[in-house]
Amino acid sequence: EKGYETGEHAPGLKLGGCGAYKAAHHIIKTHAKVWHSYNNTWRREQRGMVGISLTSGWGEPVDPHSQTDREAAERYIQFHLGWFANPIYRGDYPEVMKNYVGKKSAQQGLGTSRLPTFSVQEKTYIKGTSDFLGIGHFTTRYVLQKNFPFLQVSSYHTDHDLAELVDPNWPAPGPKWLYSVPWGIRRLLNFIKTQYGNPLIYVTENGVSETLQCPQLCDEWRIQYLKGYINEILKALNDGVNVKGYTAWSLLDKFEWNKGFSERFGLYHIDFKNKNKPRYPKASVNYYKKIISANGFPNPREVMS
């Protein structure tokens, strides 16, 4: 969406209303072709796996007793994770995406939906093309129904008719979008288990950045973030979710989209102003090392079940 619709990210194209859907359509078809290529040519010899890594927040209904809020939260997940996961695991875009984008396209007087369609052959070709699902997850939103007025130029952002809220009590150590809400990852992982037949999951991205540089490298809030999220992933394991591995995002401070070097996700601080780019461990390094060496929390009493 940011690359092909709003133009905030590379390649900076502003193809309002259809750019993101077209780009995603090509990604899904290309992914399937790569999977089949590996499956037919290399798998027997190498016995490797090919998967896809998808990033999604969790959407929680503002009022869990409200049918419209529950449906809005479901749309939030389907328009983020389901957009890619549903074709790969179930053979087609989520029904709610097809319905909403189709309805908005018709209101605009378009002859066909802005959401592309897969042929019968393509659906069969795409379904089942992932040996594991990589999940990037950082934060959660409360979601409620919001009807956008009829717009001649609809967009991905307005197609799903919902609004996102945050709890002001949620810790927000990093950028404006990233709140620490550990229970969201457990619910997301359980959603994946239910929707897609409990696939093999690797958590490929999970972490938090800082907006203020801390010269003492004292990222206690990152330690709390990692502790909370890893604990909820352990709970998901106990729920029967097939989580195989976890990787924190990220080892080093690095170039972060249109934020450049200003948004620091690393466990190691990089001095970008020094031509040698020296690396300094933050407090989270020692904490994460202990978790890795114990393959879990070193002290079981450290976390609540």
Side-chain angles (χ1 to χ4, degrees):
E1 186 221 356
K2 287 186 169 75
Y4 292 87
E5 192 144 313
T6 65
E8 293 170 59
H9 288 177
L13 301 181
K14 297 180 180 180
L15 307 172
C18 62
Y21 295 133
K22 283 184 177 177
H25 201 66
H26 290 308
I27 288 169
I28 294 163
K29 291 204 288 185
T30 308
H31 163 80
K33 188 162 188 176
V34 170
W35 186 91
H36 281 286
S37 173
Y38 186 85
N39 195 51
N40 296 334
T41 310
W42 301 106
R43 189 186 297 275
R44 189 178 293 115
E45 179 186 337
Q46 296 182 350
R47 298 181 184 177
M49 295 195 301
V50 178
I52 193 165
S53 185
L54 305 175
T55 299
S56 179
W58 173 252
E60 183 75 8
V62 168
D63 179 1
H65 304 295
S66 160
Q67 177 82 9
T68 54
D69 283 4
R70 287 201 308 271
E71 288 174 356
E74 170 83 11
R75 283 199 304 282
Y76 176 91
I77 302 297
Q78 295 293 2
F79 267 80
H80 286 85
L81 179 69
W83 185 6
F84 296 87
N86 221 72
I88 289 168
Y89 284 96
R90 303 176 77 167
D92 199 3
Y93 290 120
E95 286 301 315
V96 71
M97 272 192 90
K98 294 195 287 185
N99 292 342
Y100 269 70
V101 182
K103 180 179 67 179
K104 300 262 181 163
S105 301
Q107 287 173 352
Q108 291 174 265
L110 300 175
T112 57
S113 174
R114 286 179 286 104
L115 183 70
T117 55
F118 295 113
S119 68
V120 174
Q121 291 88 345
E122 285 172 338
K123 290 176 186 177
T124 306
Y125 187 73
I126 292 164
K127 186 178 180 181
T129 56
S130 209
D131 304 317
F132 64 89
L133 179 59
I135 284 292
H137 174 82
F138 295 90
T139 194
T140 285
R141 291 289 183 270
Y142 279 118
V143 180
L144 73 163
Q145 169 84 22
K146 178 185 177 182
N147 292 324
F148 285 91
F150 169 62
L151 301 166
Q152 274 309 122
V153 184
S154 287
S155 69
Y156 168 79
H157 181 68
T158 59
D159 278 340
H160 29 45
D161 279 350
L162 57 84
E164 301 174 27
L165 302 173
V166 297
D167 185 332
N169 294 317
W170 287 344
K176 292 176 183 175
W177 62 271
L178 210 171
Y179 294 80
S180 179
V181 195
W183 50 260
I185 195 165
R186 182 184 184 184
R187 297 187 188 191
L188 179 66
L189 292 171
N190 272 282
F191 176 89
I192 292 165
K193 173 189 169 189
T194 304
Q195 288 275 314
Y196 309 125
N198 203 13
L200 178 64
I201 296 172
Y202 288 90
V203 177
T204 46
E205 290 187 31
N206 174 243
V208 63
S209 64
E210 62 243 50
T211 47
L212 296 173
Q213 288 191 36
C214 181
Q216 286 80 38
L217 307 171
C218 49
D219 58 347
E220 178 62 31
W221 39 268
R222 181 175 281 112
I223 291 172
Q224 293 306 315
Y225 179 98
L226 293 170
K227 180 178 178 179
Y229 276 80
I230 292 169
N231 190 33
E232 292 295 323
I233 294 166
L234 289 172
K235 292 179 190 177
L237 268 169
N238 289 334
D239 297 334
V241 180
N242 191 13
V243 184
K244 185 73 171 175
Y246 171 89
T247 47
W249 186 260
S250 61
L251 178 66
L252 308 171
D253 291 336
K254 42 139 190 57
F255 193 85
E256 185 67 27
W257 296 97
N258 56 339
K259 304 294 184 197
F261 298 111
S262 66
E263 198 164 306
R264 295 172 176 268
F265 274 91
L267 300 177
Y268 282 83
H269 175 88
I270 309 298
D271 182 358
F272 292 112
K273 292 176 183 172
N274 185 313
K275 68 172 186 173
N276 294 323
K277 308 292 185 291
R279 306 166 179 183
Y280 302 99
K282 302 174 187 177
S284 53
V285 166
N286 196 41
Y287 182 74
Y288 195 52
K289 274 183 179 177
K290 289 177 182 174
I291 288 178
I292 291 170
S293 60
N295 195 27
F297 290 106
N299 180 358
R301 291 176 295 180
E302 187 177 3
V303 290
M304 300 293 288
S305 59

